[in-house]
C-alpha cells in the first residue's frame, strides 16, 4: 500500500546550517528506504512565502499569496512510500529527521481508476 508521509514543522525554527543538515539526513533516509524497496518519491518544499493558493467559488477563480491556513507548523515536504501496513509506514515516518521537532502525518494513498500511470 502507498502512504504519504507529510512533514510539518515551524519553517523558521532551523538555522540555515541546521536546515542543510536536515536535507542531508533526509536525502540519506530516502536512499536507505530506496534500497529497502519502500521509496517512491520525496522532496522538501520551498517556504510558505513562495506558496500560492487557488480557490474557485461561484465559478470564479480566487488566487492568493501564501498557504491555505495559518498554523504553527507548515507543510515542509513529503515522502511517498510503499509499506506493507500502517505499522511499517510509522516505522519509516519516525526515522524522518523533522519528526524530532515537528510532526509527520501518515496517510494512506487512495488508489482510484482513471489516473494516468507511469
Amino acid at each position: 500500500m502507498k502512504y504519504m508521509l507529510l512533514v510539518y514543522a515551524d519553517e523558521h525554527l532551523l538555522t540555515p546550517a541546521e536546515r542543510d543538515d536536515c536535507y542531508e539526513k533526509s536525502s540519506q533516509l530516502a536512499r536507505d528506504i530506496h534500497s529497502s524497496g519502500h521509496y517512491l518519491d520525496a522532496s522538501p518544499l520551498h517556504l510558505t512565502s513562495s506558496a500560492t493558493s487557488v480557490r474557485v467559488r461561484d465559478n470564479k477563480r480566487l488566487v492568493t499569496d501564501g498557504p491555505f491556513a495559518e498554523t504553527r507548523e507548515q507543510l515542509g515536504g513529503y515522502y511517498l512510500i510503499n509499506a506493507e501496513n500502517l505499522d511499517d509506514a510509522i516505522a519509516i515516518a519516525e526515522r524522518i529527521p523533522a519528526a524530532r521537532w515537528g510532526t509527520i502525518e501518515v496517510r494512506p494513498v487512495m488508489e482510484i481508476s482513471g489516473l494516468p500511470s507511469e
Side-chain angles (χ1 to χ4, degrees):
M1 174 172 247
K2 290 181 186 175
Y3 286 89
M4 182 68 74
L5 310 179
L6 300 167
V7 180
Y8 290 93
D10 179 343
E11 63 187 11
H12 300 293
L13 183 68
L14 302 180
T15 66
E18 291 169 328
R19 186 177 307 278
D20 288 343
D21 182 59
C22 179
Y23 291 157
E24 186 176 317
K25 289 176 180 171
S26 296
S27 295
Q28 181 60 53
L29 174 59
R31 291 190 297 274
D32 291 348
I33 62 177
H34 182 268
S35 66
S36 69
H38 294 96
Y39 180 85
L40 294 173
D41 195 21
S43 189
L45 300 174
H46 285 279
L47 298 179
T48 57
S49 60
S50 68
T52 301
S53 295
V54 178
R55 298 171 188 78
V56 177
R57 302 294 184 268
D58 298 322
N59 292 319
K60 293 180 183 170
R61 181 183 73 183
L62 174 63
V63 178
T64 56
D65 291 337
F68 178 70
E70 293 293 323
T71 62
R72 288 184 25 230
E73 295 181 328
Q74 296 79 37
L75 177 61
Y78 69 93
Y79 288 80
L80 180 61
I81 63 167
N82 265 323
E84 289 293 318
N85 54 45
L86 179 59
D87 289 336
D88 289 342
I90 290 170
I92 293 171
E94 74 182 42
R95 296 171 57 198
I96 296 173
R100 301 319 166 257
W101 60 86
T103 302
I104 311 303
E105 179 180 344
V106 179
R107 292 180 67 178
V109 174
M110 197 180 287
E111 300 204 28
I112 60 172
S113 62
L115 297 176
S117 62
E118 294 179 37

